[in-house]
Every structure is written in C-alpha cells, then in structure tokens.
Amino acid sequence: MNEKELKQGRSTGWIGKQLFWFEETDSTNNEAKRSSGAEHGALFLADCQTGGRGRLGRSFSSPHDTGIYMTLLLKPKIQAGNASRLTLVTALSVRKAILTCCGLKAGIKWPNDIILRGKKVCGILTEMRLLGSSIEYVIIGIGINVNNTEFPAEIREVATSLYLESGKRYDRIPLIWETMRAFETYYETFLQTEDLSELMEEYQELMVNPGGKVEIMDKEEPFTGLSRGINKEGELLVETENGIKAVSSGEISVRGVYGYV
Ligand code: BTN
C-alpha cells in the first residue's frame, strides 16, 4: 500500500479528501491530535504503528504491511455528551465494509469491537477534545486485523484477522474506503437525532452473545447480568436481579462470563 494507490482508491464523498499517510508513526490518533487544525473528514493512515493504543490504556498490535490503522478527524456540531455514540456508528460501518469486501459476517461486541467466530478482528478508539463545553474535535481510531498470520501470545486467545478466518489475503485499500463510505451514510442518519434511534435495531441484530451473561468490569461496582441490547443513547442494557441497568461505555469493559464475547 502506498499513498498514490490509496488516493486513487478513494470512493467517498467528503471523508479523506485531506489524507495524511505515514509509513510508520507512533499512533494515527496521536497524528490526528498533532494536526487537529486539519479539516473535518481528514483521514490519517499508517502502514505500521509503534505505539498503537486501545481503550482503557491497552496497546493495539500494529505490525507493518498487515492491518489497517486509521483515524478520522471530525468537527461535528453536536452535543459533547453525544459524541461517544460515534463509536457505535463506526462499528456498524466497519462491519458493513467487512461484509461487502470479504463476504464475512462479523458481529459487534458492545461498544467497539468487531467479532468473528468469538474473536476480535477490529477495535475502535474514540477520543474527543472540548473547547469550553463544545466539541473542538472528535477523533475515531480504527484498527482492523486484515492479513495477520499470528498474534502476540498475550492476545492470541482473543484476537483474530480476516486472513485467519477465511484463509484469504485482502487488499486493504477497498476495505478502508468501504468503511468510510458506510460511515458517511450511517453518520448522516446519526446526525438527524444525535442518537441511535434509527440505527439501534440494526446494531442490536449484530450484537454477539444476545441474552448472554456478561460481567461489567466497573472499577467502583462490578456486576454481572444478562445482555439485553442497547437503548437509543447507545448504552448497553443489562438485566440484573434489581432490574435493567443502562451502562455507558466510558471506563468500563464487558466480558462474556463464558468467553471473550
Ligand atoms: C481497542 O481495541 O480498544 C481500540 C483499538 C483502536 C486501534 C486503532 S489503530 C488506529 C488508531 N491509532 C491508535 O493508536 N489506536 C487506533
């Protein structure tokens, strides 16, 4: 993959008109922060990351010539409190692109993991900077394991790639632009209400482990319950002995009690 081929493959309306390509960088989310004066829709892509980051301070394995590491810079005129919902909008987009480009039916593990056969094939890291109470920018970092043939020992049980699930290698360029094309459509829908009311049915159908037992690893108050989909705010609904609790994505992680999902 090189910058010229990448630019030639662009099939989006407004995303990626401004494109930043790096053979190597620490993290495309960091690049987007460093160039946050760039325009709404600017896309940052790298062939490899030396400090790829995940949610909750985790790292994201980002070897050379293998996966997709990209960050979308947005300057949305929405309430700051609604911005984390964009993670769910992005998950829908990645899942759709994987189906279109590879014919693989992935599921979603709330809020931000794309899952194939119980293992994670993509993660999303959304970050935001405020100016007073309004949004200066939102950056959405997407990491897709495309042609990985193996993973570091510590994530081997929970990570997979499109290659490992299908035995086929994929060109990353169509996947990149299909993801962004799908995002443009879902984003337009999201903007109408700034919530998931028009998208939650689709999202819920794609959720892995419906009705399954999940553990909510909240630092203050961990609890278990049954996964009961999401609400229009994009929160996970968990059925507990004391009724349904709505969980927001912030600093928590969810584990299936009988496996990763
Ligand atoms: C997660 O699984 O917790 C989120 C992983 C997000 C990884 C992507 S790769 C591109 C962008 N740059 C980063 O450092 N992280 C995101």
Side-chain angles (χ1 to χ4, degrees):
M1 185 159 75
N2 60 51
E3 189 172 0
K4 192 168 161 228
E5 286 172 0
L6 191 57
K7 284 186 170 159
Q8 280 169 350
R10 190 171 83 88
S11 55
T12 46
W14 53 275
I15 293 178
K17 276 190 182 162
Q18 204 176 3
L19 193 85
F20 296 80
W21 165 253
F22 306 89
E23 293 284 340
E24 181 182 304
T25 181
D26 54 349
S27 149
T28 53
N29 272 30
N30 294 353
E31 290 293 352
K33 284 184 193 173
R34 290 193 278 263
S35 299
S36 62
E39 67 186 30
H40 173 71
L43 193 61
F44 298 75
L45 274 136
D47 187 48
C48 97
Q49 297 183 122
T50 51
R53 297 187 283 110
R55 284 178 71 232
L56 312 171
R58 296 181 187 133
S59 62
F60 188 82
S61 169
S62 316
H64 155 75
D65 216 13
T66 305
I68 293 173
Y69 320 113
M70 62 179 172
T71 300
L72 174 63
L73 174 71
L74 295 177
K75 304 196 168 165
K77 293 179 180 53
I78 60 171
Q79 293 289 321
N82 299 341
S84 66
R85 297 172 187 166
L86 288 167
T87 299
L88 284 76
V89 174
T90 307
L92 286 171
S93 314
V94 175
R95 171 261 160 205
K96 188 167 223 172
I98 290 176
L99 184 63
T100 308
C101 297
C102 318
L104 296 171
K105 291 188 178 147
I108 299 176
K109 175 174 177 276
W110 180 91
N112 68 327
D113 290 351
I114 307 300
I115 303 291
L116 277 168
R117 279 203 297 173
K119 291 184 173 186
K120 172 166 166 170
V121 73
C122 165
I124 299 161
L125 176 65
T126 302
E127 300 179 276
M128 169 168 74
R129 188 182 161 94
L130 297 178
L131 204 91
S133 59
S134 55
I135 295 176
E136 183 181 335
Y137 61 79
V138 175
I139 59 178
I140 305 176
I142 303 170
I144 310 178
N145 302 326
V146 182
N147 294 320
N148 313 53
T149 53
E150 57 178 6
F151 287 95
E154 59 283 10
I155 55 170
R156 208 161 286 155
E157 294 291 303
V158 293
T160 191
S161 70
L162 298 174
Y163 169 74
L164 288 171
E165 294 308 311
S166 65
K168 292 186 197 145
R169 290 183 190 277
Y170 295 98
D171 184 352
R172 288 171 289 170
I173 295 175
L175 264 166
I176 290 167
W177 294 119
E178 270 306 312
T179 301
M180 289 299 135
R181 245 158 63 91
F183 183 86
E184 286 181 346
T185 307
Y186 285 121
Y187 182 65
E188 206 175 305
T189 306
F190 165 78
L191 283 183
Q192 286 164 18
T193 51
E194 293 188 24
D195 66 22
L196 275 287
S197 44
E198 296 297 318
L199 301 172
M200 59 187 279
E201 203 176 303
E202 181 175 350
Y203 188 96
Q204 290 190 130
E205 272 169 20
L206 295 167
M207 281 172 80
V208 292
N209 196 18
K213 200 164 181 184
V214 289
E215 185 174 4
I216 306 300
M217 323 235 271
D218 186 331
K219 269 192 219 125
E220 321 265 274
E221 213 190 323
F223 64 95
T224 55
L226 303 179
S227 167
R228 294 289 184 221
I230 58 167
N231 58 18
K232 67 180 173 43
E233 286 75 31
E235 296 167 325
L236 180 70
L237 300 175
V238 182
E239 186 180 329
T240 71
E241 283 167 1
N242 307 320
I244 300 264
K245 284 195 186 181
V247 180
S248 63
S249 56
E251 288 293 297
I252 63 133
S253 78
V254 183
R255 286 297 285 251
V257 171
Y258 305 109
Y260 177 61
V261 300

